[in-house]
Amino acid sequence: MKLLEERIRRDGVVKPGSVLKVDAFLNHQMDVALLDALGAEWARRFAGAGVSKILTIEASGIGIACMAARHFGVPVVFAKKSQSINIDGDVYTTKVQSYTHRRVYDVLVSKRFLGPADRVLILDDFLANGCALEGLLDLAAQAGASVAGVGIAVEKGFQRGGDALRARGIRVESLAIVDTMDPASGAITFRPDPAETAGGGKYPTPPEQIP
Ligand code: 5GP
């Protein structure tokens, strides 16, 4: 998505250790108009996919998910990073290795808010090695919910998470895919977006939408 790529080029900062800082507009200070545009784009791409709930993980997924939810007209559930283990059995839990904090979190979702009737769209700000996404997919599987797909703002295409999910047949819609980034020069290259190239998108019109 050109709008997001241009913003990353303008305000993103490439850090050593394959970290891209986007805290000027995405996950610390938040440009709400930009987030709204991301939400509209996922709503366009997942139109007809039957999304009944958006699932994300705290903290930085929440703002993005809430703006997107306005376009889908569905609730947001976010997986909480828990401080204590739950012994009541009223939650689904899984473990997530944090890319930026280099530690493992227990994360949980209440059984009241995710179940077999749900069809979830999983959203997050970044996709790197896919640990956060694996955790969210695990929670959805435990709940018996079906997964319409995954929406990511910034995928680092040189790390394995996105392509590993696609190889499993999971639909991943990343709005910007960084192919290379150089901390010395700050240069960033993006993977061409098939949804924006001439001749139509990567995905055919869903059958429900064909008149
Ligand atoms: P993964 O679990 O896919 O390895 O990493 C995704 C999670 O780590 C995201 O939820 C995001 O918060 C964080 N993350 C991974 N890479 C980056 C990065 O380059 N920049 C920022 N700001 N966060 C990242």
Side-chain angles (χ1 to χ4, degrees), residues 11-183:
D11 293 332
V13 181
V14 183
K15 295 285 190 187
S18 299
V19 170
L20 177 64
K21 281 200 86 149
V22 290
D23 58 356
F25 57 97
L26 201 64
N27 57 15
H28 191 17
Q29 175 169 263
M30 294 192 280
D31 180 338
V32 178
L34 176 69
L35 298 194
D36 188 55
L38 303 186
E41 178 63 12
W42 283 312
R44 189 183 69 78
R45 295 190 189 195
F46 284 100
V51 173
S52 71
K53 213 162 263 189
I54 291 177
L55 178 65
T56 188
I57 185 165
E58 71 175 347
S60 39
I62 296 175
I64 291 169
C66 287
M67 294 304 290
R70 297 277 297 165
H71 294 274
F72 285 88
V74 302
V76 174
V77 176
F78 66 92
K80 293 183 168 220
K81 292 172 180 160
S82 91
Q83 306 300 331
S84 55
I85 54 161
N86 178 278
I87 47 170
D88 295 337
D90 55 357
V91 294
Y92 304 110
T93 64
T94 193
K95 290 188 186 301
V96 169
Q97 162 90 45
S98 163
Y99 184 88
T100 38
H101 298 124
R102 313 245 174 239
R103 54 163 288 199
V104 175
Y105 290 95
D106 287 302
V107 299
L108 59 86
V109 164
S110 168
K111 290 183 178 174
R112 284 187 298 148
F113 303 131
L114 205 56
D118 286 314
R119 181 157 176 77
V120 296
L121 170 63
I122 299 178
L123 293 184
D124 204 3
D125 60 341
F126 266 90
L127 177 55
N129 293 319
C131 302
L133 258 294
E134 291 297 344
L136 292 171
L137 286 165
D138 183 29
L139 292 172
Q142 288 180 47
S146 64
V147 175
V150 170
I152 298 293
V154 188
E155 176 180 338
K156 290 183 290 181
F158 54 89
Q159 294 175 318
R160 63 186 165 77
D163 290 334
L165 291 173
R166 291 184 185 95
R168 280 163 51 189
I170 296 169
R171 180 175 174 189
V172 181
E173 291 288 349
S174 300
L175 302 186
I177 303 182
V178 175
D179 262 345
T180 65
M181 55 186 209
D182 178 11

